[in-house]
Amino acid sequence: ETGVTQTPRHLVMGMTNKKSLKCEQHLGHNAMYWYKQSAKKPLELMFVYSLEERVENNSVPSRFSPECPNSSHLFLHLHTLQPEDSALYLCASSQGTGTDNSPLHFGNGTRLTVT
Amino acid sequence: AQKITQTQPGMFVQEKEAVTLDCTYDTSDQSYGLFWYKQPSSGEMIFLIYQGSYDEQNATEGRYSLNFQKARKSANLVISASQLGDSAMYFCAMREPYGNNRLAFGKGNQVVVIP
């Protein structure tokens, strides 16, 4: 496989469930990101990992817990979510996190519905 | 404060015609980067084109070109010879100046190419 792969593509969970989103990149990048895309709102940056170290937590509630075990894998652990957390969750990777022109490469996203 | 503005309503464009998508941005920094992404119904965000604030020439990438007017703080995307596969949401994004590859996204433009 190439690029950025996210699983599952769709997820329905109750507010008391615990689930995890998985992201894997095959591009040799050293930075990975979680974004949230809600209807009619711009993409919101949630977390940034650089060389497996979290470098940014963009005021995300603690019910979202990221994990980056290595530079190729990124997880988003979910627990006790709210219906307003329903959204498309996009993972991305890039080579570097500095002010260069390296674009972010995104996965297909996980469509999450919280019931 | 919103940094990227995309205000056009959904657009219909005839196949093989050109379409221009508007994007204006707000920043006080002199060094920044501008990106355009395409998001088809599959959900994946696909990188299209990049323009650096110090680039003297407008960026081009195949059928995509960027009409960069720095003084007006606009970075419009031009898609030439539209194809049916160009039907998607298009997002303008700006790399914020303080590192971690933060991208501020606009709300997007919907484009539908009709045969």
Side-chain angles (χ1 to χ4, degrees), chain A residues 9 33 35 37 40 42-43 45 48 55-56 58 88 90 94 96-104 106-108, chain B residues 2 31 35 37 39 41-47 50 91 95-107:
Chain A
R9 291 297 308 275
Y33 311 77
Y35 277 85
Q37 187 177 27
K40 299 182 180 180
L43 269 73
L45 178 64
V48 180
V55 296
E56 184 157 351
N58 200 23
L88 180 68
L90 289 160
S94 71
T97 59
T99 56
D100 56 19
N101 63 353
S102 57
L104 271 64
F106 287 84
N108 286 342
Chain B
Q2 187 177 14
S31 176
F35 300 79
Y37 283 84
Q39 187 178 39
S41 57
S42 61
E44 181 183 5
M45 295 283 281
I46 303 168
F47 167 68
Y50 166 83
F91 293 90
R95 169 172 285 124
E96 297 181 3
Y98 29 86
N100 288 340
N101 216 354
R102 297 177 110 260
L103 289 186
F105 284 83
K107 292 185 177 181

Side-chain angles (χ1 to χ4, degrees), chain A residues 44-101:
Chain A
E44 302 170 62
L45 178 64
M46 300 176 71
F47 301 104
V48 180
Y49 275 83
S50 176
L51 297 172
E52 303 150 41
E53 179 181 346
R54 190 191 311 178
V55 296
E56 184 157 351
N57 176 346
N58 200 23
S59 301
V60 179
S62 59
R63 57 186 184 269
F64 296 91
S65 175
E67 178 189 2
C68 187
N70 54 63
S71 59
S72 298
H73 293 85
L74 184 66
F75 296 89
L76 188 63
H77 303 299
L78 315 171
H79 64 96
T80 59
L81 294 192
Q82 304 298 313
E84 60 265 29
D85 296 323
S86 299
L88 180 68
Y89 288 84
L90 289 160
C91 173
S93 69
S94 71
Q95 186 58 44
T97 59
T99 56
D100 56 19
N101 63 353

Side-chain angles (χ1 to χ4, degrees), chain B residues 22-36:
Chain B
D22 296 340
C23 172
T24 58
Y25 58 91
D26 180 29
T27 182
S28 58
D29 198 78
Q30 295 301 308
S31 176
Y32 51 88
L34 296 158
F35 300 79
W36 276 92

Side-chain angles (χ1 to χ4, degrees), chain B residues 5 14 46-47 65 77 109:
Chain B
T5 302
Q14 199 75 38
I46 303 168
F47 167 68
S65 61
L77 176 71
N109 298 105

